[in-house]
Amino acid sequence: MEALRQAFDFSDFPRTDLCVAVAVAVFLFVFPALPHSSFAMATMIQFLMFSVYGMGWNTIGGYGGQVDLGKAQYVGIGAYTTAVMQIRWDLPFWVSLPIGMSLAVGWSFIIGYPLFRLRGHYFAIATIATSLILKDVFESWSFIGGARGLKIPLRAEMPDFWFLQFREDYYYYYVILAFFFVGLIYLNWFRQSRIGMQLRCIKDNEEMARSLGIDSHWAKIKAYAVATAFVAAVGSFHACYNFNIEPEDVMSLDLSVLIALMAMLGGAGSLWGPIIGAAILVPMKNYLGAWFGAKAGLIGLDLIIYSTIIMAIAAFEPRGIWGIVTRIRQSRSD
Amino acid sequence: MALLKVQDLGMRFGGLMANWGVSFEIASGEMVGLIGPNGAGKSTLFNCIAGLYNPTHGRIHFLDQDVTGRKPYEMARMGLARTFQVYVASGDLTVLENVMVGCFLKTRSRRLAKERAGELLSSMRLSHLSDRNMANLPVAAQKRVVMATALATEPKLLLLDEVAAGLNSTEIDEMIGLIRWVNTEMGISVILIEHVMELVMNLSQRVLVLDSGTLIAEGEPEEIVRKPEVIKAYLGERYLNEHSDASSKGEPVA
Ligand SMILES: Nc1ncnc2c1ncn2[C@@H]1O[C@H](COP(=O)(O)OP(=O)(O)OP(=O)(O)O)[C@@H](O)[C@H]1O
Ligand SMILES: [Mg+2]
């Protein structure tokens, strides 16, 4: 009960935050009713997906301060579990979702154990490596379609809520919107919880944290598992939303980097950060990407933009946009 | 009954023996000073006891258990708390949150942790700092908050590493009062590493002197400052001349 109250307790945020949050929530609810292009709808769905990816990343990467660049492997595990179970055994999304999340979390414990013996850059590099190795395995594993990937067959009747197959995108929109709110409420609990505060203490000063009775290795593994569960859930959704999955798009390094980048741009270690980051980068990626893509010779410019953003964050404000907002607020109140 | 028993402890860093043949006991409720010149191995000794270093020789017993080589968090869970000589916070936590993290050792409930942290801060007269960021506190306040956080774990033995360094004389007096309160009111045993002799002389029931990694003397404070080997290794002749009445002010010349 206390946990539930805590999850819905936003009282430590300033009123302006809450007003903006409510306005955004209302907008998200009514968006499908507003006039929009199908490209805008797809962008909104992606924005919500990346918000949830980023929320997950934020547990270990933001609150725990461990820069994880290997989240795509868990997107892959979630997406493939859902696709394979649907194709081979005709099992619906709502059955494969928890299984995919469990498999991903199980895998995260196995690799998290040795991974968190490493610190800083070594940890970041190792997360990239493990993700790419798993991608290689998936690409050469014929049972799950190898490099060509899998195609989920269409159901005879749509909308199919069990298998998450819809002709209209707004169904997908509301499903991922539900994920978004569940994730947000969970994270609001997490940041105030014992484990959440212990992680922030580890980030602050790990030796100090250990001297306060915190098993920092285990705390990081747990946070990593939470992050993994978020990411795998969206991976499962991705499989149903896209019908087509292949290692190159659900497990690529680009995806891992984008997940981390959005959370870091918006503000690592803050509740709103990943959402802000996704709200900026997803439209930018889609609209600029489409525009660049149309002009040959400009392909790859988006990558240059991403790397510029990474460098800007590292140099000016490691806490991202939310860090800037906090700084402005502090200087006003002083 | 000995709360802590260190037997023939040795810690080697490559060719350097930072601790060598160190043996002593701390009784429950005791307050003991640990002094010695820079680089004598005082902090290293704390790190061995607290589990940060795994000693290369000897054994450590805490609460009648052999705890040699246990992890820092295991020691903390058994009732050992410590402060660090150098403490840097990147500033993710407020003062209240930091103390709450200490409280989380004994409770899972956020509500209880918040209550206890609030009580502890107010009994240490730190409530006004609750919402301040850990990273930009004045030295004196930071030392007290770090102590409050250590106390929040409800320890049986508290290791204090130079908590008076960088404090002015008023702040030192406050610190003396605070440590005495911890020992007598909270019933926590204390070992304190300190270069500020005023604090050592005022608080310690017993003083251990470490030089080049080994214990060279042990005894009551008044007795210790008169021992030729301690004067030679650490205090210097000037200290004795200035404090010939065995009162206790000022810093060693070391
Ligand atoms: N992790 C380590 N690796 C290598 N050498 C170390 C390590 N920790 C301490 N030392 C060395 O051990 C010796 C004792 O250091 P220690 O920090 O214990 O001294 P100290 O008595 O606390 O001195 P101070 O009064 O300056 O704090 C020093 O020579 C130091 O350089
Ligand atoms: Mg020291």
Side-chain angles (χ1 to χ4, degrees), chain A residues 2 6 62 191-194 197-198 200-201 203-205 207-208 210-216 319, chain B residues 52 72-73 76-77 82 84 87-93 97-98 101 104 107-111 149 153:
Chain A
E2 201 196 322
Q6 202 174 305
R191 82 188 163 92
Q192 309 178 65
S193 69
R194 183 171 181 257
M197 289 188 54
Q198 289 180 334
R200 285 161 64 200
C201 184
K203 182 179 173 189
D204 218 26
N205 185 328
E207 264 183 12
M208 162 96 157
R210 278 158 61 87
S211 81
L212 294 174
I214 300 168
D215 181 348
S216 54
R319 279 157 221 239
Chain B
L52 197 62
Y73 59 86
R77 288 170 190 181
R82 66 163 311 175
F84 290 88
Y87 172 72
V88 187
S90 63
D92 263 79
L93 296 169
E97 286 172 335
N98 207 62
V101 172
F104 273 128
T107 178
R108 292 187 160 272
S109 150
R110 177 181 168 83
R111 190 177 49 81
T149 309
T153 63

Side-chain angles (χ1 to χ4, degrees), chain B residues 74-119:
Chain B
E74 292 172 321
M75 293 307 293
R77 288 170 190 181
M78 282 186 73
L80 186 104
R82 66 163 311 175
T83 66
F84 290 88
Q85 184 172 347
V86 182
Y87 172 72
V88 187
S90 63
D92 263 79
L93 296 169
T94 65
V95 166
L96 180 69
E97 286 172 335
N98 207 62
V99 179
M100 280 174 71
V101 172
C103 294
F104 273 128
L105 181 59
K106 288 285 154 81
T107 178
R108 292 187 160 272
S109 150
R110 177 181 168 83
R111 190 177 49 81
L112 279 181
K114 201 167 180 173
E115 258 170 44
R116 279 190 205 163
E119 282 165 17

Side-chain angles (χ1 to χ4, degrees), chain B residues 13 16 18 37-44 53 85 162 195:
Chain B
F13 295 114
L16 175 83
N38 293 118
K42 305 179 297 294
S43 298
T44 303
Y53 297 159
Q85 184 172 347
E162 299 200 18
H195 287 296

